[in-house]
Amino acid sequence: MSFGELLVIGAVTLIVVGPERMPKVARTAGMLLGRLQRFIANVKSEIHQEMQMGELAKLEAELREGTDDLRNSIHQPFADAAAMLAEGAQMPPTGSDEDSSAALQHAIDTLPALPNSAYRDRR
């Protein structure tokens, strides 16, 4: 609204309301305008907060998925090794230490390699 439009609105209001009630009407209009502005600000802040909560929920889901993948990539080789060791413990002894050493070396060689992320610097 331009200044000219505000002057026209003020002049019409002065004529319709009269000079006696004009200050009271102006005060009431100012209070209502202030309430409206606060209401609009509250609605904007709530919408912004809800959007942030939605973004945080998405981020949390992505992080959970990543940690689950990492946990699986770390635990799987150990589970495989435990299964191989359990399988080796159920095998009857061959009688010679060389055969046992060879079987153990074969079990170690067939273990899956850990991903590169497991070898990162652990400071």
Side-chain angles (χ1 to χ4, degrees), residues 72-89:
N72 289 339
S73 69
I74 290 172
H75 288 285
Q76 188 60 42
F78 291 113
D80 292 345
M84 291 177 122
L85 288 175
E87 182 181 298

Side-chain angles (χ1 to χ4, degrees), residues 57-115:
K58 287 179 187 177
L59 181 61
E60 180 186 14
E62 290 174 6
L63 286 174
R64 284 189 190 276
E65 183 179 320
T67 56
D68 289 344
D69 291 345
L70 181 61
R71 184 179 296 121
N72 289 339
S73 69
I74 290 172
H75 288 285
Q76 188 60 42
F78 291 113
D80 292 345
M84 291 177 122
L85 288 175
E87 182 181 298
Q90 293 175 356
M91 292 176 56
T94 58
S96 80
D97 288 337
E98 288 181 17
D99 291 340
S100 298
S101 297
L104 182 59
Q105 186 62 41
H106 175 70
I108 291 171
D109 291 340
T110 57
L111 283 176
L114 290 174

Side-chain angles (χ1 to χ4, degrees), residues 7-51:
L7 280 176
V8 170
I9 291 171
V12 170
T13 307
L14 182 61
I15 293 171
V16 171
V17 174
E20 300 87 29
R21 294 189 306 173
M22 185 67 168
K24 185 177 179 181
V25 170
R27 239 181 278 123
T28 304
M31 287 177 27
L32 291 175
L33 184 61
R35 285 183 187 172
L36 179 64
Q37 287 177 339
R38 284 190 297 276
F39 176 74
I40 290 172
N42 285 337
V43 168
K44 281 183 181 180
S45 69
E46 287 179 11
I47 290 172
H48 183 68
Q49 188 177 19
E50 288 295 323
M51 288 174 56

